[in-house]
Amino acid sequence: MLEVEILNMKLKNPVLLAAGVMGSTASSLNWAARNGVGGVVTKSFSLEPNKGYPNPTTVEVQGGIINAIGLSNPGVEAFKVELGRIDEKVPTIASLYGSSPEEFSLVAKKIEDMVDALELNVSCPHAMTGCGASIGQDPDLTGEMVRAVKKTVNVPVTVKLTPNVTDIVEIALAAQEAGADGLTLINSLGPGMCIDLETARPILSNRFGGMSGPAIKPIALRCVYQAYEAVKIPIIGVGGIMDHKDAVEFLYAGACSIQVGTAVMYQGLEVFQRICNGLESFMRDKEFNRVDEMVGLAHQD
Ligand SMILES: Cc1cc2nc3c(=O)[nH]c(=O)nc-3n(C[C@H](O)[C@H](O)[C@H](O)COP(=O)(O)O)c2cc1C
């Protein structure tokens, strides 16, 4: 009942682990896979190792968390070792980032044989200069990165977009035109910040970070809804999904599968089974036989 097909992958359910949350090592990815996810997305990684920002890198605020990890990762060669240790059989999407078309395609080429699909992170709001949202806020740059990767690899490619733009549709169309096979909407929102009352200083070492969790759900939902009306490629919805009701909203808005990040930090890995169970009983109740019957229903007149 919950099976979906997306980016040439058959998923047992539409609920994936979002990038960056527990996806840094094979053991955490295996652990997620054993806990009912339909698929996993890895932490974003790059050509060279990146230390990221010093602590503190995350802070809890009302409605979610703000993080400025700075895309820390051990680099693609070390990450390949982790990918090789994944022994649980769920589809794996590798998230990657870079600062130029050459860098994106080089990283993509190095790992395409080890994963089922790639997710291009052009949308991190706290990435070092030249990476992340500075690419995803520009339709031409977004298109360049996508085109370069698509020319290099054969696996399906989804592009993760930032909500921090004036017009999400413009960027979504640029990604589609450049050959993207899917879109992932959205990366964290912001940047935002939080100030310590005792020290009168910003809490995060980077001062600013990306907001995730329930507070960003209405914005993520709106991005999915608008993109669905403009593009033909499938959309993976992410942003503030805490339970099956949130998941249903994203499906109705036009997402054909969803990712869960911050909710794992709040609820543990049980959240995946909980969302799947809730989704299944919702579907029985409403007499849906397949997930795709729900996709885009919010667009009816
Ligand atoms: C601690 C943390 C680390 C993250 N790291 C990444 C990352 O490496 N790459 C990426 O594309 N998104 C990253 N994200 C963004 C999430 O994948 C997701 O898009 C965002 O948090 C919104 O979903 P959520 O509200 O379910 O967390 C990270 C989010 C958090 C909270």
Side-chain angles (χ1 to χ4, degrees):
M1 186 180 216
L2 292 184
E3 301 84 12
V4 291
E5 212 175 317
I6 177 171
L7 303 172
N8 282 347
M9 302 180 299
K10 285 187 182 9
L11 308 183
K12 64 181 175 189
N13 68 65
V15 190
L16 297 118
L17 174 71
V21 182
M22 290 196 57
S24 303
T25 61
S27 65
S28 66
L29 290 164
N30 282 331
W31 196 20
R34 280 194 285 274
N35 275 275
V37 292
V40 291
V41 186
T42 69
K43 172 86 189 148
S44 297
F45 57 91
S46 50
L47 194 57
E48 301 298 336
N50 171 13
K51 273 205 210 137
Y53 299 118
N55 283 326
T57 54
T58 53
V59 57
E60 187 167 9
V61 294
Q62 217 172 3
I65 65 167
I66 307 177
N67 90 83
I69 291 173
L71 294 175
S72 63
N73 77 96
V76 65
E77 292 304 335
F79 208 78
K80 275 171 73 173
V81 177
E82 292 301 322
L83 286 174
R85 289 191 186 133
I86 296 178
D87 53 21
E88 290 295 322
K89 291 268 170 284
V90 295
T92 301
I93 302 177
S95 171
L96 58 106
Y97 75 95
S99 58
S100 65
E102 295 72 31
E103 222 170 277
F104 263 100
S105 38
L106 215 69
V107 180
K109 186 78 203 154
K110 280 176 184 284
I111 42 137
E112 72 161 326
D113 292 340
M114 304 186 80
V115 294
D116 300 283
L118 302 175
E119 187 175 88
L120 309 188
N121 179 358
V122 293
S123 45
C124 177
H126 50 84
M128 275 75 176
T129 326
C131 304
S134 61
I135 297 171
Q137 285 162 339
D138 181 319
D140 295 334
L141 281 180
T142 302
E144 265 183 56
M145 306 303 159
V146 177
R147 224 168 272 118
V149 173
K150 282 295 294 176
K151 240 196 269 165
T152 312
V153 300
N154 292 312
V155 282
V157 174
T158 176
V159 187
K160 188 168 182 182
L161 299 186
T162 171
N164 310 316
V165 290
T166 311
D167 182 8
I168 192 79
V169 167
E170 183 188 22
I171 312 285
L173 286 171
Q176 175 178 262
E177 208 166 289
D181 302 292
L183 298 176
T184 306
L185 296 173
I186 58 173
N187 210 318
S188 46
L189 178 75
M193 74 182 300
C194 186
I195 294 173
D196 189 302
L197 293 191
E198 298 307 318
T199 62
R201 294 287 182 279
I203 290 182
L204 297 174
S205 73
N206 184 52
R207 297 178 297 152
F208 313 131
M211 176 85 189
S212 63
I216 74 166
K217 191 191 87 180
I219 290 158
L221 209 50
R222 184 266 303 164
C223 288
V224 170
Y225 185 93
Q226 284 186 316
Y228 182 80
E229 298 208 326
V231 300
K232 295 191 171 61
I233 50 180
I235 298 169
I236 304 173
V238 50
I241 297 173
M242 306 305 281
D243 58 25
H244 77 276
K245 292 187 207 151
D246 296 331
V248 170
E249 277 192 84
F250 274 83
L251 296 169
Y252 283 172
C256 48
S257 65
I258 55 136
Q259 296 176 1
V260 175
T262 300
V264 181
M265 298 163 93
Y266 284 174
Q267 302 180 39
L269 285 167
E270 293 75 24
V271 69
F272 293 104
Q273 202 54 58
R274 211 173 284 142
I275 292 176
C276 288
N277 292 346
L279 199 52
E280 209 166 86
S281 56
F282 179 88
M283 287 172 67
R284 282 193 214 291
D285 211 35
K286 301 284 184 208
E287 298 183 350
F288 291 116
N289 295 312
R290 297 190 324 273
V291 171
D292 59 16
E293 293 170 2
M294 306 162 77
V295 174
L297 281 187
H299 296 265
Q300 302 169 101
D301 291 331

